[in-house]
Amino acid sequence: MTVTLDAFRVRITGGVQGVGYRAWTRGQALQLGLTGWVRNEADGSVSALIIGSQGATGSMLERFWSGPAGSSVSDVKAEAANLDEVPDDFRIVR
């Protein structure tokens, strides 16, 4: 039986830098069994690549709207991502 993985590139905007958003994202992703990465962008947004089961990626996409205490999310945009390679962990990329 083959497990189908969903992959999304996500951009989160609002007050999401300087509030622990990347560390929070990594913790949430690990709880859900996701792989991928999260990073700060120069424009003040946070970008992420999330890979996992449909249920896990769906849950993470919903959780992005909450963020950690102190964050203020104004938008979450996700688009399907094509993958050449699936990472084996979830990282904070600097």
Side-chain angles (χ1 to χ4, degrees):
M1 181 169 150
T2 303
V3 175
T4 302
L5 295 178
D6 282 348
F8 294 95
R9 291 196 185 276
V10 186
R11 182 171 178 259
I12 304 102
T13 55
V16 292
Q17 287 192 14
V19 294
Y21 202 96
R22 291 176 301 160
W24 175 87
T25 296
R26 184 175 184 273
Q28 297 296 307
L30 292 173
Q31 282 181 4
L32 292 168
L34 298 172
T35 61
W37 51 260
V38 61
R39 70 177 175 223
N40 283 341
E41 299 294 347
D43 66 0
S45 66
V46 169
S47 292
L49 172 68
I50 59 170
I51 305 157
S53 69
Q54 183 178 24
T57 56
S59 291
M60 190 68 214
L61 290 171
E62 289 177 17
R63 292 181 188 192
F64 278 129
W65 283 98
S66 304
S71 68
S72 174
V73 176
S74 59
D75 197 21
V76 176
K77 291 189 177 168
E79 62 182 39
N82 293 323
L83 299 174
D84 296 328
E85 203 174 298
V86 177
D88 59 0
D89 62 1
F90 197 95
R91 298 180 184 192
I92 295 174
V93 179
R94 301 209 191 293

